[in-house]
Amino acid sequence: MFERSDSTTPFRPGTRLASAGVVLIAAAMPAIAETGTQDQADADGVPVIYPVPMRGQMGTDIHPSAYEAIVEDVKKVQPDLVVFMLESADINNVFYLRDDDRAESGLGLLGEYRELVGSLRDDLAAYPQVIWVEDSVGFGSLMALSWPTMYMKPNARLWGLQNVSSMAGGWSDPDVAAKMMAAWTGIGKGFLQKGGYPLELGEAMMRPEYQLSASFEGRDVTWKLDTNGHWVVDSSDKEVTNLRAELAEDLGVCAGLAENLDDVAFLSGWREYRLNESGQKLIEDYVEDWRRTYDRTKEWMRDAQQAESRAGGDDTVRYLGKAKNDYERVIAAMRQYPAVENRWKREGVNRMQLEIYVEQLKEQILGIRRGGRGGGGGMSGGRGGGLSPGG
């Protein structure tokens, strides 16, 4: 589990970016000023900001394997501030269109997300970090709540953590269901512990049966899972708590509103800065590469299934051999990009299944060559049975 951040108690609200453009630095910001090292700036004394995109699907575009190179590059660049830019929304803002691609919704890989947060927060602990939420609906909100200093775009959402509690569903035994709910939401609250946010907020954002209110004593906030606080944040016991940027700022969850990186820099205490974009290039290249590879695996899978369907008579060995080679290409792609394997898992096919099936094909081909009988089928659901996507 995550360890609780030292900066979590008491929880204090951030300050608002005034409409006249006067910025008051949020309460959390002195930590950045203290840990920031001006000697890391360029020779001309201008601080270096290193933006890191977290955009797209949780579990594929945003995955630990994508950020291994980021960790090494940050250590080489030694920036004054690392800005993680989060934009991951399972649903768009225009609800009535209902045009969201369900294949692009986030994957419930909480262990891998916990690994990613641990790597970025701990391995790069020497470098001041903030997260800037451009929009987050779904598991991405766990990432947002894993950093003590969060900024949000003025129209950003911090929604979707009902996905965590929904992972505990499907159990008929009430005792088992309760234990599963406690287990999954416990993992979810670990992300808030890492960021130093109140666990009551996590409970309300993950579990619809809880309400949420807040009471203020000076700059300190006391949270309650009911409506007895001074400020009722969520009075419903049917839906989870969701926060938009303005409300998140008023409650101190968000340290300030930032329309762009200039605003993030200004809130961090800098009127000028130099941008290092090598991290953006690394992530953009990764996303392009894995998605291109995934498209190729779909072609290889179709080719393999077609080859199996044609296997028969004197051509059996030739077509089964082609199918085997295509499946092996898919396996190699899954090993190279865990994102590819994660997308295929959603289709009902994982790497272990494919590896077992390839071994069966090898045995079948060897048996035919030794004078036995063989047949087609397999992944395509033909004569030989075997696996099929979605099965």
Side-chain angles (χ1 to χ4, degrees):
M1 293 291 286
F2 292 133
E3 296 179 358
R4 189 173 182 84
S5 171
D6 293 336
S7 61
T8 61
T9 305
F11 184 76
R12 301 176 184 274
T15 52
R16 167 158 273 179
L17 183 62
S19 58
V22 179
V23 177
L24 298 177
I25 304 302
M29 291 314 301
I32 290 182
E34 293 170 4
T35 56
T37 55
Q38 287 300 103
D39 59 342
Q40 293 175 351
D42 280 0
D44 57 6
V46 177
V48 177
I49 290 182
Y50 186 102
V52 181
M54 288 184 168
R55 295 193 174 108
Q57 185 181 33
M58 291 293 297
T60 56
D61 298 317
I62 304 171
H63 186 272
S65 61
Y67 293 86
E68 294 172 357
I70 291 293
V71 171
E72 298 304 316
D73 195 52
V74 168
K75 292 178 180 179
K76 181 176 67 175
V77 173
Q78 297 188 331
D80 294 274
L81 181 67
V82 180
V83 180
F84 296 100
M85 305 182 299
L86 177 64
E87 184 178 13
S88 178
D90 292 350
I91 58 174
N92 63 32
N93 272 300
V94 188
F95 302 110
Y96 63 84
L97 290 180
R98 299 189 181 277
D99 59 348
D100 304 298
D101 187 351
R102 296 187 65 181
E104 293 292 335
S105 61
L107 306 177
L109 306 174
L110 300 194
E112 296 183 18
Y113 304 149
R114 182 168 56 184
E115 175 189 343
L116 174 57
V117 170
S119 174
L120 297 176
R121 288 289 315 278
D122 299 338
D123 293 350
L124 299 178
Y127 307 97
Q129 306 173 22
V130 301
I131 192 162
W132 177 36
V133 180
E134 299 178 60
D135 199 22
S136 179
V137 179
F139 292 111
S141 295
L142 292 175
M143 306 299 295
L145 292 165
S146 298
W147 271 264
T149 303
M150 179 203 310
Y151 299 122
M152 298 179 71
K153 271 195 170 183
N155 61 346
R157 298 170 291 177
L158 192 64
W159 292 12
L161 288 188
Q162 72 272 9
N163 289 357
V164 176
S165 58
S166 67
M167 295 174 67
W171 299 92
S172 57
D173 187 309
D175 291 335
V176 174
K179 290 178 181 178
M180 293 301 296
M181 178 67 74
W184 283 113
T185 56
I187 295 173
K189 286 186 289 186
F191 290 84
L192 281 85
Q193 286 181 309
K194 189 69 172 179
Y197 296 92
L199 299 187
E200 293 87 353
L201 176 65
E203 292 277 15
M205 293 185 74
M206 288 185 279
R207 302 184 63 169
E209 65 268 27
Y210 286 126
Q211 301 167 318
L212 185 67
S213 62
S215 297
F216 294 83
E217 295 182 9
R219 293 180 60 83
D220 296 342
V221 184
T222 300
W223 300 81
K224 295 181 179 180
L225 292 173
D226 52 38
T227 58
N228 297 326
H230 298 157
W231 185 349
V232 177
V233 180
D234 177 13
S235 61
S236 171
D237 59 359
K238 305 297 182 184
E239 297 180 356
V240 297
T241 300
N242 290 316
L243 302 178
R244 283 196 176 269
E246 185 174 337
L247 177 58
E249 186 193 22
D250 288 340
L251 292 169
V253 176
C254 163
L257 304 185
E259 183 66 50
N260 48 45
L261 277 174
D262 288 343
D263 290 344
V264 173
F266 196 44
L267 286 168
S268 302
W270 295 321
R271 293 180 178 273
E272 59 177 345
Y273 62 92
R274 177 169 286 110
L275 202 62
N276 185 296
E277 298 179 307
S278 60
Q280 291 178 279
K281 180 76 163 55
L282 286 170
I283 296 300
E284 289 168 0
D285 288 348
Y286 160 82
V287 172
E288 181 181 349
D289 289 346
W290 92 255
R291 286 187 173 272
R292 181 176 60 248
T293 301
Y294 173 65
D295 288 339
R296 295 187 69 184
T297 62
K298 291 191 288 187
E299 295 175 3
W300 294 332
M301 190 72 80
R302 284 194 297 267
D303 291 345
Q305 293 171 353
Q306 289 175 1
E308 286 188 275
S309 67
R310 295 174 182 173
D314 295 338
D315 291 328
T316 298
V317 170
R318 179 164 68 91
Y319 280 114
L320 291 184
K322 184 183 186 311
K324 177 186 72 68
N325 292 339
D326 286 331
Y327 288 138
E328 287 176 334
R329 289 180 178 181
V330 176
I331 292 170
M334 289 179 172
R335 288 173 175 162
Q336 182 180 9
Y337 294 106
V340 172
E341 181 175 6
N342 289 341
R343 282 296 283 263
W344 274 109
K345 282 181 180 178
R346 176 167 277 184
E347 298 297 321
V349 175
N350 62 46
R351 179 159 57 92
M352 181 176 293
Q353 287 176 307
L354 276 177
E355 289 173 342
I356 293 173
Y357 188 68
V358 165
E359 291 302 314
Q360 293 173 347
L361 281 178
K362 289 179 180 179
E363 294 176 3
Q364 187 177 3
I365 292 170
L366 182 60
I368 295 171
R369 286 174 173 167
R370 289 176 175 173
R373 297 180 62 187
M379 290 295 293
S380 60
R383 289 181 292 167
L387 304 172
S388 61

